[in-house]
Amino acid sequence: MFHRNLVADAEDRKQVEGIGIELFYLIVKDVGEETNFYPPTRQLFSSFLEVLGHEFVESDPGQCLRLVSTSIQNPGLVGTLTPHMNLVNTNTETLLEIYENVINIPDRDGDLAFVILSKVGTFLKHT
């Protein structure tokens, strides 16, 4: 696990966080039929995404829109990606962009739209 206290310099911390975020999306890009076919590989990739998402992606409010876009491009990963959408510090413009992306989701991916809008709805209910 990444321990923020071990990286004292703010610039170094920002660089480590940037690497963690990019590694998260690199792994997301590589998840597919081949990696899901073999259970140990599926579990390894799933664990990587869980840890990287928790440590780096959730703490960066700027990742919400990127998570939505990535979910739309990879509908099979929406269950893996949306838990890392932390809308707490998201501004109104980003929420509107998320909504705009969701309303453009094709009808055949209605479940995808539902999952993303549920996340936004839960956030709005608690604000």
Side-chain angles (χ1 to χ4, degrees):
M1 294 273 181
F2 173 66
H3 296 282
R4 296 181 199 301
N5 298 341
L6 296 177
V7 183
D9 185 55
E11 190 173 311
D12 289 343
R13 186 175 346 173
K14 189 129 181 104
Q15 186 176 14
V16 169
E17 289 171 352
I19 291 169
I21 289 169
E22 290 309 312
L23 184 57
F24 176 85
Y25 289 106
L26 182 65
I27 293 171
V28 165
K29 188 178 78 173
D30 287 337
V31 172
E33 215 172 286
E34 291 178 357
T35 57
N36 286 332
F37 177 74
Y38 187 60
T41 305
R42 180 179 57 235
Q43 181 61 43
L44 179 67
F45 276 53
S46 179
S47 295
F48 284 158
L49 292 174
E50 180 63 32
V51 170
L52 290 168
H54 178 71
E55 292 295 324
F56 300 108
V57 177
E58 286 178 26
S59 62
D60 184 350
Q63 295 305 310
C64 289
L65 190 56
R66 189 172 179 187
L67 282 168
V68 169
S69 298
T70 304
S71 295
I72 292 170
Q73 292 168 356
N74 304 293
L77 293 176
V78 70
T80 302
L81 298 176
T82 53
H84 304 296
M85 280 179 57
N86 184 357
L87 298 167
V88 172
N89 295 319
T90 303
N91 60 34
T92 305
E93 291 81 24
T94 301
L95 284 172
L96 290 173
E97 284 184 66
I98 289 170
Y99 184 74
E100 194 172 294
N101 285 337
V102 171
I103 62 172
N104 291 321
I105 293 174
D107 289 343
R108 69 177 182 277
D109 292 328
D111 291 344
L112 172 64
F114 177 76
V115 171
I116 295 170
L117 286 176
S118 295
K119 187 77 172 182
V120 172
T122 301
F123 164 73
L124 292 174
K125 191 185 304 183
H126 294 291
T127 57

